[in-house]
Amino acid sequence: MRRVISIALSTAVLSGGFVALASPASAACDDTGTKFSIINKKTVWKNTNLHSDWGKPGVTLRYDKTKSATLSASGTAEVGADAGVIFAKASASFGVTVGKSWTKGDTWSYSATVKKKKGKTRGRLMMQHEAKQFTAHKYKVFTGAGGACKTKTVYKKKLTAPVKKDRQNLWGIQYA
């Protein structure tokens, strides 16, 4: 068989002809496997564990304590063992490190006056920390009929992860 093809090619080249060889269609996707993407991204501010006692409108509240502030990610139970991969992808996507939790021990000294708000009877100082909210999309890429690449969603889960950076905090009055 090789000899027949070789003779045909030699004859075509010697006679000045053009030979086109057909290559078989791609038998598979080049990039198959399980993939993750980070979509629906935004910055949010989430309440930490630091807050003052409640005060009525007109009262000036003070928070002056040495304590550790903490904030934990939400939505991680649904992604299980994928959490590490997802936090790494989200960190790269946002350009800032995010993770399962953030903790910072410090002396916090803030004060503010509770204002009158319609339908609210009290307020308290509350510390919030910057977090990133996003949807983790896990999907599989596989070769479909005819060699075309296909995707199938495994899950789409909404997560909120704290920024692993200090001084990304806001203090304000939480009303109830």
Side-chain angles (χ1 to χ4, degrees), residues 94-159:
F94 281 106
V96 64
T97 304
V98 299
K100 191 170 185 175
S101 65
W102 167 82
T103 301
K104 172 68 176 164
D106 206 343
T107 299
W108 312 96
S109 299
Y110 293 91
S111 66
T113 302
V114 178
K115 302 202 182 323
K116 285 186 177 184
K117 291 224 177 215
K118 187 176 181 177
K120 307 295 181 184
T121 60
R122 60 190 180 150
R124 67 179 179 178
L125 274 169
M126 175 61 72
M127 183 177 129
Q128 296 181 326
H129 185 74
E130 182 181 353
K132 302 300 182 182
Q133 191 173 73
F134 56 91
T135 301
H137 180 205
K138 181 178 182 178
Y139 60 98
K140 291 187 178 192
V141 178
F142 60 96
T143 303
C149 284
K150 302 279 186 179
T151 61
K152 180 179 182 182
T153 295
V154 177
Y155 63 72
K156 285 185 181 180
K157 298 293 180 191
K158 186 175 180 180
L159 287 94

Side-chain angles (χ1 to χ4, degrees), residues 19-126:
V19 177
L21 296 174
S23 62
S26 177
C29 265
D30 291 336
D31 194 20
T32 60
T34 302
K35 310 289 180 187
F36 293 89
S37 64
I38 303 301
I39 56 175
N40 304 326
K41 305 183 311 181
K42 68 180 180 177
T43 299
V44 295
W45 294 90
K46 302 299 283 181
N47 291 340
T48 67
N49 61 313
L50 300 187
H51 57 80
S52 69
D53 291 334
W54 292 98
K56 291 184 177 190
V59 172
T60 298
L61 301 171
R62 294 199 180 298
Y63 189 92
D64 191 10
K65 293 182 183 178
T66 300
K67 194 170 179 179
S68 289
T70 60
L71 181 63
S72 296
S74 64
T76 56
E78 292 94 8
V79 299
D82 295 336
V85 173
I86 291 169
F87 290 144
K89 283 270 195 195
S91 295
S93 181
F94 281 106
V96 64
T97 304
V98 299
K100 191 170 185 175
S101 65
W102 167 82
T103 301
K104 172 68 176 164
D106 206 343
T107 299
W108 312 96
S109 299
Y110 293 91
S111 66
T113 302
V114 178
K115 302 202 182 323
K116 285 186 177 184
K117 291 224 177 215
K118 187 176 181 177
K120 307 295 181 184
T121 60
R122 60 190 180 150
R124 67 179 179 178
L125 274 169
M126 175 61 72

